[in-house]
Amino acid sequence: MHADTAPWYRMADLLPEAAAQHVKDCWDTGEQESGLGLLVEGLLARQVPVGGADRALLSVLAEQWGLRERLTPGILRCLGDGGPAPVRLLDDDADEAEPVTGLGGPELADLVLAPWIGCNRCGRLLLRAHTWEPWDDFSHHAEHYVIATPDRERALRILPADAAGEAFAELLHDCPGA
């Protein structure tokens, strides 16, 4: 199994066998967007408990496939499993976004940070850095991913627009509180 396939298959396996196979088939035929939609719909319809780390992973997968805006409401409604979680998915309401001031270098100048995923162990945050658009909202696609201190005073790492998965893995696995 290809490394990129493993998270998809693991998430699909939360569903009953037939539904899981349908999601896997979507991956295998290059219909990832449909598969993600079916996965989230299936989790909601069947009231499948989803842990905090898996909920965040769903959001990362949706981000990677350009579906985060559409799927986030459903992901946030997924039934929790009640267990402890190393990370939590943050509601990234536009009102929570704030202009970047002194957080990072020139690559973050004039961008807006949107909270995305928080580490429950050490408090670090994974933020999406967006352009503020003329229609008075931030763009749908992140320009960078930023791992920041809990107080949002300092960027610990700034990753490029194509590194959502890498940023999440670093937040999850390189936690100083783990």
Side-chain angles (χ1 to χ4, degrees):
M1 181 184 307
H2 190 271
D4 289 344
T5 307
W8 286 76
Y9 274 41
R10 189 178 64 72
M11 294 300 297
D13 285 337
L14 295 172
L15 298 172
E17 188 175 342
Q21 189 58 53
H22 195 117
V23 171
K24 292 174 184 178
D25 290 345
C26 286
W27 170 264
D28 294 339
T29 59
E31 298 177 13
Q32 286 78 4
E33 294 89 348
S34 295
L36 270 172
L38 288 172
L39 176 59
V40 173
E41 289 170 15
L43 294 170
L44 288 169
R46 293 171 178 84
Q47 294 286 304
V48 175
V50 179
D54 283 342
R55 186 175 302 182
L57 175 60
L58 276 172
S59 184
V60 171
L61 293 172
E63 174 82 359
Q64 290 172 320
W65 289 97
L67 300 170
R68 193 193 53 75
E69 289 286 319
R70 184 168 64 92
L71 295 180
T72 292
I75 294 169
L76 291 170
R77 286 193 326 270
C78 284
L79 184 64
D81 68 357
V87 294
R88 69 194 176 288
L89 185 58
L90 304 171
D91 185 1
D92 61 337
D93 190 294
D95 295 336
E96 296 287 322
E98 58 186 50
V100 176
T101 56
L103 182 66
E107 65 264 84
L108 296 180
D110 300 323
L111 297 180
V112 174
L113 292 180
W116 186 21
I117 301 170
C119 182
N120 290 329
R121 301 165 296 185
C122 68
R124 292 180 311 153
L125 299 167
L126 177 53
L127 310 166
R128 293 183 333 274
H130 294 267
T131 302
W132 193 259
E133 298 292 351
W135 57 83
D136 202 27
D137 199 358
F138 55 87
S139 62
H140 295 294
H141 299 287
E143 300 291 324
H144 296 284
Y145 298 97
V146 180
I147 297 176
T149 56
D151 58 8
R152 299 181 195 177
E153 293 289 320
R154 189 167 52 96
L156 301 170
R157 181 114 192 265
I158 301 170
L159 295 105
D162 63 350
E166 181 184 342
F168 177 63
E170 184 172 321
L171 182 73
L172 191 62
H173 300 297
D174 294 344
C175 173

